[in-house]
Amino acid sequence: MNTTARMNHIIQPDGKTFIMAMDHAQNFNTLPALADPKKLVREIAAAGADAFLSTPGMAEHLTDSFLGKGIIVRIDGGVSFLGDKSKPMQITLNAEDIVRMGADSVITMSFPGSKFENEVLSNLTRVCMDCHRWGVPVLAEALPRGFEPADDSRTPENLIFACRQSVELGADFVKTNYTGDQESFKTLVEATYKPVVILGGAKKVPVDQLLQEIKDAMEVGGAGVAMGRNIWGDENPVGYAAAIAKLIHEGCSVEAAMKEMNKTYTV
């Protein structure tokens, strides 16, 4: 299978995708919200997610739960929220591991301006070259300064640079913050020249606000979303996922999407 074939398992014929992020437990405490990932993955897959950001463990042991949807494995790790943050993430898997698992893609970090940018950015290109030999596409999580917050880190200009740099280093698609307005996000999408999906972030935001942000991004060329905590941390994660799927693939209003949250989805 080549890179295009695997990308087609993630990005749908309409050029859009809803990627559900479930890779957080590799580095962070996700309990009690993700106490039963097997059940939640199946329910969200049935509700309309196109692909999942997965840990190696999920890809190995929860295969049936994905219901045939795309699987993007987190390929960097080796650290946790309990650590002292004195060392960067390491590349813990290779392309052969991904092919053996039957996954479709990998995700790795791209942190220009961060303390460990030399290692992280070098890792990105090495991962791309390794994965492309096996026909495995690479998703870069492009965040200026990574998780080292600064007042000027997530400006539109820095986000545009981080995304463009990621594809220049070999990434096939990019996950990043929404810039905050359509004009600058349109510039980002055009400058990146590969599909761009927006992330949800750690901060809990109202459902209608997040859906509006998704709609705004999609209207100016965004390829979709790769979101997790705002969804699986909600009291109605399956309905939330269904609302996002409808918004992405039907281009409906935020109000119409929110009506999906009251429907029941069975596996």
Side-chain angles (χ1 to χ4, degrees), residues 30-80:
T30 59
L31 299 174
L34 284 184
D36 190 354
K38 183 175 182 179
K39 176 176 181 291
L40 188 57
V41 166
R42 288 180 64 88
E43 291 175 342
I44 289 176
D50 301 305
F52 289 83
L53 297 185
S54 167
T55 64
M58 285 184 175
E60 291 268 48
H61 306 302
L62 302 185
T63 306
D64 290 344
S65 297
F66 292 109
L67 303 182
K69 303 301 180 76
I71 300 174
I72 305 167
V73 178
R74 170 67 66 182
I75 202 172
D76 44 16
V79 299
S80 81

CSV table of all heavy atoms in Angstrom, one decimal, residues 30-80:
chain,number,residue,atom,x,y,z
A,30,THR,N,-5.5,10.3,31.9
A,30,THR,CA,-6.8,10.5,31.3
A,30,THR,C,-7.9,10.0,32.1
A,30,THR,O,-9.1,9.9,31.6
A,30,THR,CB,-6.8,9.9,29.9
A,30,THR,OG1,-6.5,8.5,30.0
A,30,THR,CG2,-5.7,10.6,29.0
A,31,LEU,N,-7.7,9.5,33.3
A,31,LEU,CA,-8.7,8.9,34.1
A,31,LEU,C,-9.5,10.0,34.9
A,31,LEU,O,-8.9,11.0,35.2
A,31,LEU,CB,-8.1,7.9,35.1
A,31,LEU,CG,-7.4,6.7,34.4
A,31,LEU,CD1,-6.7,5.8,35.5
A,31,LEU,CD2,-8.4,5.9,33.6
A,32,PRO,N,-10.8,9.9,35.1
A,32,PRO,CA,-11.6,8.7,34.8
A,32,PRO,C,-12.3,8.8,33.4
A,32,PRO,O,-13.0,7.9,33.0
A,32,PRO,CB,-12.7,8.7,35.9
A,32,PRO,CG,-12.9,10.2,36.1
A,32,PRO,CD,-11.5,10.8,36.0
A,33,ALA,N,-12.1,9.9,32.7
A,33,ALA,CA,-12.8,10.1,31.4
A,33,ALA,C,-12.6,9.0,30.4
A,33,ALA,O,-13.5,8.5,29.7
A,33,ALA,CB,-12.5,11.4,30.8
A,34,LEU,N,-11.4,8.5,30.3
A,34,LEU,CA,-11.0,7.4,29.4
A,34,LEU,C,-10.8,6.0,30.1
A,34,LEU,O,-10.0,5.3,29.7
A,34,LEU,CB,-9.8,7.8,28.6
A,34,LEU,CG,-10.0,8.8,27.4
A,34,LEU,CD1,-8.7,9.0,26.7
A,34,LEU,CD2,-11.1,8.4,26.5
A,35,ALA,N,-11.6,5.8,31.1
A,35,ALA,CA,-11.5,4.5,31.8
A,35,ALA,C,-11.8,3.3,31.0
A,35,ALA,O,-11.3,2.2,31.2
A,35,ALA,CB,-12.4,4.6,33.1
A,36,ASP,N,-12.7,3.5,30.0
A,36,ASP,CA,-13.0,2.4,29.1
A,36,ASP,C,-12.9,2.8,27.6
A,36,ASP,O,-13.8,3.0,26.9
A,36,ASP,CB,-14.5,2.0,29.4
A,36,ASP,CG,-14.9,0.7,28.6
A,36,ASP,OD1,-14.0,0.1,27.9
A,36,ASP,OD2,-16.0,0.2,28.9
A,37,PRO,N,-11.6,2.9,27.2
A,37,PRO,CA,-11.4,3.4,25.8
A,37,PRO,C,-11.9,2.4,24.7
A,37,PRO,O,-12.3,2.9,23.7
A,37,PRO,CB,-9.8,3.4,25.7
A,37,PRO,CG,-9.4,2.5,26.8
A,37,PRO,CD,-10.4,2.6,27.9
A,38,LYS,N,-12.0,1.1,25.0
A,38,LYS,CA,-12.5,0.2,24.1
A,38,LYS,C,-13.9,0.5,23.7
A,38,LYS,O,-14.3,0.5,22.5
A,38,LYS,CB,-12.4,-1.2,24.6
A,38,LYS,CG,-12.9,-2.3,23.7
A,38,LYS,CD,-12.6,-3.7,24.3
A,38,LYS,CE,-13.0,-4.8,23.3
A,38,LYS,NZ,-12.8,-6.2,23.8
A,39,LYS,N,-14.8,0.8,24.7
A,39,LYS,CA,-16.2,1.1,24.4
A,39,LYS,C,-16.3,2.5,23.8
A,39,LYS,O,-17.1,2.6,22.8
A,39,LYS,CB,-16.9,1.1,25.8
A,39,LYS,CG,-18.4,1.5,25.7
A,39,LYS,CD,-19.1,1.3,27.0
A,39,LYS,CE,-20.5,1.7,27.0
A,39,LYS,NZ,-20.7,3.2,26.8
A,40,LEU,N,-15.6,3.5,24.3
A,40,LEU,CA,-15.7,4.8,23.7
A,40,LEU,C,-15.2,4.9,22.3
A,40,LEU,O,-15.9,5.6,21.5
A,40,LEU,CB,-14.9,5.8,24.6
A,40,LEU,CG,-15.2,7.3,24.3
A,40,LEU,CD1,-16.6,7.6,24.4
A,40,LEU,CD2,-14.3,8.1,25.2
A,41,VAL,N,-14.1,4.2,22.0
A,41,VAL,CA,-13.7,4.2,20.6
A,41,VAL,C,-14.7,3.7,19.6
A,41,VAL,O,-15.0,4.3,18.6
A,41,VAL,CB,-12.3,3.5,20.5
A,41,VAL,CG1,-12.0,3.2,19.0
A,41,VAL,CG2,-11.2,4.2,21.1
A,42,ARG,N,-15.3,2.6,20.0
A,42,ARG,CA,-16.4,2.0,19.1
A,42,ARG,C,-17.5,2.9,19.0
A,42,ARG,O,-18.1,3.1,17.8
A,42,ARG,CB,-16.9,0.7,19.7
A,42,ARG,CG,-15.9,-0.5,19.6
A,42,ARG,CD,-16.4,-1.8,20.3
A,42,ARG,NE,-17.6,-2.2,19.5
A,42,ARG,CZ,-17.5,-3.1,18.4
A,42,ARG,NH1,-16.3,-3.4,18.0
A,42,ARG,NH2,-18.6,-3.5,17.8
A,43,GLU,N,-18.0,3.6,20.0
A,43,GLU,CA,-19.1,4.5,20.0
A,43,GLU,C,-18.8,5.7,19.1
A,43,GLU,O,-19.7,6.1,18.3
A,43,GLU,CB,-19.5,4.9,21.4
A,43,GLU,CG,-20.1,3.7,22.2
A,43,GLU,CD,-20.4,4.1,23.6
A,43,GLU,OE1,-19.9,5.1,24.1
A,43,GLU,OE2,-21.2,3.4,24.3
A,44,ILE,N,-17.6,6.2,19.3
A,44,ILE,CA,-17.3,7.4,18.5
A,44,ILE,C,-17.1,7.1,17.0
A,44,ILE,O,-17.4,7.9,16.1
A,44,ILE,CB,-16.1,8.1,19.1
A,44,ILE,CG1,-16.5,8.8,20.4
A,44,ILE,CG2,-15.5,9.2,18.2
A,44,ILE,CD1,-15.4,9.4,21.2
A,45,ALA,N,-16.5,5.9,16.8
A,45,ALA,CA,-16.4,5.4,15.4
A,45,ALA,C,-17.7,5.3,14.7
A,45,ALA,O,-18.0,5.7,13.6
A,45,ALA,CB,-15.6,4.1,15.3
A,46,ALA,N,-18.7,4.8,15.5
A,46,ALA,CA,-20.1,4.6,14.9
A,46,ALA,C,-20.7,6.0,14.7
A,46,ALA,O,-21.6,6.1,13.8
A,46,ALA,CB,-20.9,3.8,15.9
A,47,ALA,N,-20.3,7.0,15.5
A,47,ALA,CA,-21.0,8.3,15.4
A,47,ALA,C,-20.4,9.2,14.3
A,47,ALA,O,-21.0,10.2,14.0
A,47,ALA,CB,-20.8,9.0,16.8
A,48,GLY,N,-19.3,8.7,13.7
A,48,GLY,CA,-18.9,9.4,12.5
A,48,GLY,C,-17.4,9.9,12.4
A,48,GLY,O,-17.0,10.5,11.4
A,49,ALA,N,-16.6,9.5,13.4
A,49,ALA,CA,-15.2,9.8,13.3
A,49,ALA,C,-14.6,9.0,12.1
A,49,ALA,O,-15.0,7.9,11.8
A,49,ALA,CB,-14.4,9.4,14.5
A,50,ASP,N,-13.7,9.7,11.3
A,50,ASP,CA,-13.1,9.1,10.2
A,50,ASP,C,-11.8,8.4,10.5
A,50,ASP,O,-11.4,7.4,9.8
A,50,ASP,CB,-12.8,10.2,9.1
A,50,ASP,CG,-14.0,10.9,8.7
A,50,ASP,OD1,-15.0,10.2,8.2
A,50,ASP,OD2,-14.0,12.1,8.7
A,51,ALA,N,-11.1,8.8,11.6
A,51,ALA,CA,-9.8,8.3,11.9
A,51,ALA,C,-9.6,8.6,13.4
A,51,ALA,O,-10.3,9.4,14.0
A,51,ALA,CB,-8.7,8.8,11.1
A,52,PHE,N,-8.6,7.9,14.0
A,52,PHE,CA,-8.2,8.1,15.4
A,52,PHE,C,-6.7,8.3,15.5
A,52,PHE,O,-5.9,7.6,14.9
A,52,PHE,CB,-8.6,6.9,16.2
A,52,PHE,CG,-10.1,6.7,16.4
A,52,PHE,CD1,-10.9,6.1,15.4
A,52,PHE,CD2,-10.8,7.1,17.5
A,52,PHE,CE1,-12.2,5.9,15.5
A,52,PHE,CE2,-12.1,7.0,17.6
A,52,PHE,CZ,-12.9,6.4,16.6
A,53,LEU,N,-6.4,9.3,16.4
A,53,LEU,CA,-5.0,9.3,16.9
A,53,LEU,C,-4.9,8.3,18.0
A,53,LEU,O,-5.7,8.3,19.0
A,53,LEU,CB,-4.7,10.7,17.5
A,53,LEU,CG,-4.7,11.9,16.5
A,53,LEU,CD1,-4.2,13.1,17.2
A,53,LEU,CD2,-3.8,11.6,15.2
A,54,SER,N,-4.0,7.4,17.9
A,54,SER,CA,-3.9,6.2,18.7
A,54,SER,C,-2.6,6.1,19.4
A,54,SER,O,-1.6,6.5,18.9
A,54,SER,CB,-4.2,4.9,17.9
A,54,SER,OG,-3.9,3.7,18.6
A,55,THR,N,-2.5,5.4,20.6
A,55,THR,CA,-1.3,5.0,21.2
A,55,THR,C,-0.9,3.7,20.5
A,55,THR,O,-1.7,3.0,19.9
A,55,THR,CB,-1.5,4.8,22.7
A,55,THR,OG1,-2.4,3.7,22.9
A,55,THR,CG2,-2.0,6.1,23.4
A,56,PRO,N,0.4,3.2,20.7
A,56,PRO,CA,0.8,1.9,20.2
A,56,PRO,C,-0.1,0.8,20.9
A,56,PRO,O,-0.5,-0.2,20.2
A,56,PRO,CB,2.2,1.8,20.6
A,56,PRO,CG,2.7,3.2,20.7
A,56,PRO,CD,1.5,4.0,21.2
A,57,GLY,N,-0.4,1.0,22.2
A,57,GLY,CA,-1.2,0.0,22.9
A,57,GLY,C,-2.6,-0.2,22.3
A,57,GLY,O,-3.1,-1.3,22.1
A,58,MET,N,-3.2,0.9,22.0
A,58,MET,CA,-4.6,0.9,21.4
A,58,MET,C,-4.5,0.2,20.0
A,58,MET,O,-5.4,-0.6,19.7
A,58,MET,CB,-5.2,2.3,21.3
A,58,MET,CG,-5.7,2.9,22.6
A,58,MET,SD,-6.4,4.5,22.3
A,58,MET,CE,-7.0,4.9,23.9
A,59,ALA,N,-3.5,0.6,19.2
A,59,ALA,CA,-3.4,0.0,17.9
A,59,ALA,C,-3.2,-1.5,17.9
A,59,ALA,O,-3.6,-2.2,17.1
A,59,ALA,CB,-2.3,0.7,17.1
A,60,GLU,N,-2.4,-1.9,18.9
A,60,GLU,CA,-2.1,-3.3,19.1
A,60,GLU,C,-3.3,-4.1,19.6
A,60,GLU,O,-3.6,-5.3,19.2
A,60,GLU,CB,-0.9,-3.5,20.0
A,60,GLU,CG,0.4,-3.0,19.5
A,60,GLU,CD,1.1,-4.1,18.8
A,60,GLU,OE1,0.5,-4.8,17.9
A,60,GLU,OE2,2.3,-4.3,19.0
A,61,HIS,N,-4.0,-3.6,20.6
A,61,HIS,CA,-5.0,-4.4,21.4
A,61,HIS,C,-6.5,-4.0,21.2
A,61,HIS,O,-7.3,-4.8,21.6
A,61,HIS,CB,-4.6,-4.2,22.9
A,61,HIS,CG,-3.2,-4.6,23.2
A,61,HIS,ND1,-2.7,-5.8,22.9
A,61,HIS,CD2,-2.2,-3.9,23.8
A,61,HIS,CE1,-1.4,-5.9,23.3
A,61,HIS,NE2,-1.1,-4.7,23.8
A,62,LEU,N,-6.8,-2.8,20.6
A,62,LEU,CA,-8.2,-2.4,20.4
A,62,LEU,C,-8.6,-2.3,19.0
A,62,LEU,O,-9.4,-1.6,18.6
A,62,LEU,CB,-8.4,-1.1,21.1
A,62,LEU,CG,-8.1,-0.9,22.6
A,62,LEU,CD1,-8.5,0.4,23.1
A,62,LEU,CD2,-8.8,-2.0,23.4
A,63,THR,N,-7.9,-3.1,18.1
A,63,THR,CA,-8.1,-3.1,16.7
A,63,THR,C,-9.6,-3.1,16.3
A,63,THR,O,-10.1,-2.3,15.5
A,63,THR,CB,-7.3,-4.2,16.0
A,63,THR,OG1,-6.0,-4.1,16.4
A,63,THR,CG2,-7.4,-4.0,14.5
A,64,ASP,N,-10.3,-4.1,16.9
A,64,ASP,CA,-11.7,-4.2,16.5
A,64,ASP,C,-12.6,-3.0,16.9
A,64,ASP,O,-13.6,-2.7,16.2
A,64,ASP,CB,-12.3,-5.5,17.2
A,64,ASP,CG,-11.7,-6.8,16.6
A,64,ASP,OD1,-11.2,-6.7,15.5
A,64,ASP,OD2,-11.9,-7.8,17.3
A,65,SER,N,-12.2,-2.3,17.9
A,65,SER,CA,-13.0,-1.1,18.3
A,65,SER,C,-13.0,0.0,17.3
A,65,SER,O,-13.9,0.8,17.3
A,65,SER,CB,-12.4,-0.6,19.7
A,65,SER,OG,-12.6,-1.6,20.7
A,66,PHE,N,-12.0,0.1,16.5
A,66,PHE,CA,-11.9,1.2,15.5
A,66,PHE,C,-12.9,1.0,14.4
A,66,PHE,O,-13.1,2.0,13.6
A,66,PHE,CB,-10.5,1.3,15.0
A,66,PHE,CG,-9.5,1.8,16.0
A,66,PHE,CD1,-8.5,0.9,16.5
A,66,PHE,CD2,-9.5,3.1,16.5
A,66,PHE,CE1,-7.6,1.3,17.5
A,66,PHE,CE2,-8.6,3.5,17.4
A,66,PHE,CZ,-7.6,2.6,17.9
A,67,LEU,N,-13.5,-0.1,14.2
A,67,LEU,CA,-14.5,-0.4,13.2
A,67,LEU,C,-14.1,-0.1,11.8
A,67,LEU,O,-14.8,0.5,11.0
A,67,LEU,CB,-15.8,0.4,13.5
A,67,LEU,CG,-16.5,0.2,14.9
A,67,LEU,CD1,-17.7,1.0,15.0
A,67,LEU,CD2,-16.8,-1.3,15.1
A,68,GLY,N,-12.8,-0.3,11.5
A,68,GLY,CA,-12.3,-0.1,10.2
A,68,GLY,C,-11.9,1.3,9.9
A,68,GLY,O,-11.5,1.6,8.7
A,69,LYS,N,-12.0,2.2,10.8
A,69,LYS,CA,-11.6,3.6,10.6
A,69,LYS,C,-10.1,3.7,10.5
A,69,LYS,O,-9.3,2.9,10.9
A,69,LYS,CB,-12.2,4.5,11.7
A,69,LYS,CG,-13.7,4.4,11.8
A,69,LYS,CD,-14.4,4.8,10.5
A,69,LYS,CE,-15.9,4.7,10.6
A,69,LYS,NZ,-16.5,5.9,11.3
A,70,GLY,N,-9.6,4.9,10.1
A,70,GLY,CA,-8.2,5.1,10.0
A,70,GLY,C,-7.5,5.2,11.3
A,70,GLY,O,-8.1,5.6,12.3
A,71,ILE,N,-6.3,4.7,11.4
A,71,ILE,CA,-5.5,4.7,12.7
A,71,ILE,C,-4.2,5.4,12.4
A,71,ILE,O,-3.4,5.1,11.6
A,71,ILE,CB,-5.2,3.3,13.1
A,71,ILE,CG1,-6.6,2.5,13.4
A,71,ILE,CG2,-4.4,3.3,14.4
A,71,ILE,CD1,-6.4,1.0,13.7
A,72,ILE,N,-4.0,6.5,13.3
A,72,ILE,CA,-2.8,7.3,13.2
A,72,ILE,C,-2.1,7.1,14.6
A,72,ILE,O,-2.6,7.5,15.6
A,72,ILE,CB,-3.1,8.8,13.0
A,72,ILE,CG1,-3.9,8.9,11.7
A,72,ILE,CG2,-1.8,9.6,12.9
A,72,ILE,CD1,-4.5,10.3,11.6
A,73,VAL,N,-0.9,6.5,14.6
A,73,VAL,CA,-0.2,6.1,15.8
A,73,VAL,C,0.7,7.2,16.3
A,73,VAL,O,1.6,7.7,15.5
A,73,VAL,CB,0.5,4.7,15.7
A,73,VAL,CG1,1.2,4.4,17.0
A,73,VAL,CG2,-0.5,3.6,15.3
A,74,ARG,N,0.7,7.6,17.5
A,74,ARG,CA,1.7,8.5,18.1
A,74,ARG,C,3.0,7.8,18.2
A,74,ARG,O,3.2,6.7,18.8
A,74,ARG,CB,1.2,8.9,19.5
A,74,ARG,CG,2.2,9.6,20.3
A,74,ARG,CD,2.5,11.0,19.8
A,74,ARG,NE,1.4,11.9,19.8
A,74,ARG,CZ,1.4,13.2,19.4
A,74,ARG,NH1,2.5,13.6,18.8
A,74,ARG,NH2,0.4,13.9,19.4
A,75,ILE,N,4.0,8.3,17.4
A,75,ILE,CA,5.3,7.6,17.3
A,75,ILE,C,6.3,8.2,18.2
A,75,ILE,O,7.4,7.7,18.3
A,75,ILE,CB,5.7,7.7,15.8
A,75,ILE,CG1,6.7,6.6,15.5
A,75,ILE,CG2,6.3,9.1,15.5
A,75,ILE,CD1,7.1,6.5,14.0
A,76,ASP,N,6.0,9.3,18.9
A,76,ASP,CA,7.0,9.9,19.9
A,76,ASP,C,6.5,9.7,21.3
A,76,ASP,O,5.3,9.7,21.5
A,76,ASP,CB,7.3,11.3,19.5
A,76,ASP,CG,6.1,12.2,19.2
A,76,ASP,OD1,5.0,11.8,19.5
A,76,ASP,OD2,6.3,13.3,18.6
A,77,GLY,N,7.4,9.6,22.2
A,77,GLY,CA,7.0,9.3,23.6
A,77,GLY,C,8.2,9.3,24.5
A,77,GLY,O,9.2,9.9,24.3
A,78,GLY,N,8.1,8.4,25.5
A,78,GLY,CA,9.2,8.3,26.5
A,78,GLY,C,9.2,9.3,27.6
A,78,GLY,O,10.2,9.3,28.4
A,79,VAL,N,8.2,10.1,27.7
A,79,VAL,CA,8.1,11.1,28.8
A,79,VAL,C,6.7,11.1,29.4
A,79,VAL,O,5.8,10.5,28.7
A,79,VAL,CB,8.5,12.5,28.4
A,79,VAL,CG1,9.9,12.6,27.9
A,79,VAL,CG2,7.5,13.0,27.3
A,80,SER,N,6.5,11.7,30.5
A,80,SER,CA,5.1,11.7,31.1
A,80,SER,C,5.0,13.0,31.9
A,80,SER,O,5.9,13.8,32.1
A,80,SER,CB,4.9,10.5,32.0
A,80,SER,OG,5.4,10.8,33.3
